[in-house]
Amino acid sequence: MTLSVDSAAASLMQEGLVQAVVVGADRIAANGDVANKVGTYPLALAARAHEIPFYVAAPRSTIDPACPDGASIPIEERAPAEVAEGFGPRTAPNGVQIRNPAFDVTPANLITALVTEAGVIQPLNGRCIAANLEKPGISAG
């Protein structure tokens, strides 16, 4: 395994140095769309472009069966100052509009499989997700 900064991932994929991508999830919609830290969606796009499997590993408690799809997941916007003044002194011009989303949504069609404590969900779709949620819980003991 090799650890790298997020911004180098696509280049490493292009060089053939990545065999698989595994990310977490903050929320998973009933159809398999995944909300995770911002930057996950472009990572999934790069993996798809380079034919690299893209897995999401998350507890079943992350799956929200009442949320139909990724468009229904509210995306938190963080303070503009985190971008404009992230290194102390202001680096962004005054008056410029700043967007600072904390999360993005990766569509289910870019995800190879979802891995939960109850097993692997593949293909990733509403029917398979519902079946995983019906499995008995795993006890910690």
Side-chain angles (χ1 to χ4, degrees):
M1 175 177 20
T2 302
L3 180 63
S4 176
V5 295
D6 295 351
S7 56
S11 294
L12 295 173
M13 289 178 196
Q14 186 178 45
E15 292 177 31
L17 299 174
V18 177
Q19 288 75 48
V21 177
V22 180
V23 300
D26 286 271
R27 191 169 181 188
I28 302 169
N31 74 337
D33 292 346
V34 170
N36 196 42
K37 303 300 179 265
V38 72
T40 303
Y41 174 50
L43 189 61
L45 289 171
R48 172 62 56 92
H50 295 287
E51 299 178 352
I52 296 168
F54 187 89
Y55 299 99
V56 175
R60 289 194 299 180
S61 61
T62 309
I63 301 170
D64 184 352
C67 181
D69 54 37
S72 303
I73 299 173
I75 301 300
E76 174 189 347
E77 284 279 339
R78 295 206 172 141
E82 289 182 7
V83 175
E85 301 162 10
F87 299 103
R90 186 174 179 87
T91 55
N94 287 325
V96 70
Q97 288 188 338
I98 297 172
R99 292 280 318 270
N100 189 14
F103 305 94
D104 60 24
V105 174
T106 301
N109 68 335
L110 294 177
I111 301 167
T112 305
L114 173 61
V115 182
T116 75
E117 69 274 21
V120 177
I121 303 173
Q122 186 180 36
L124 189 55
N125 59 45
R127 183 183 55 75
C128 292
I129 290 170
N132 184 275
L133 289 174
E134 292 172 4
K135 290 182 179 180
I138 308 297
S139 63

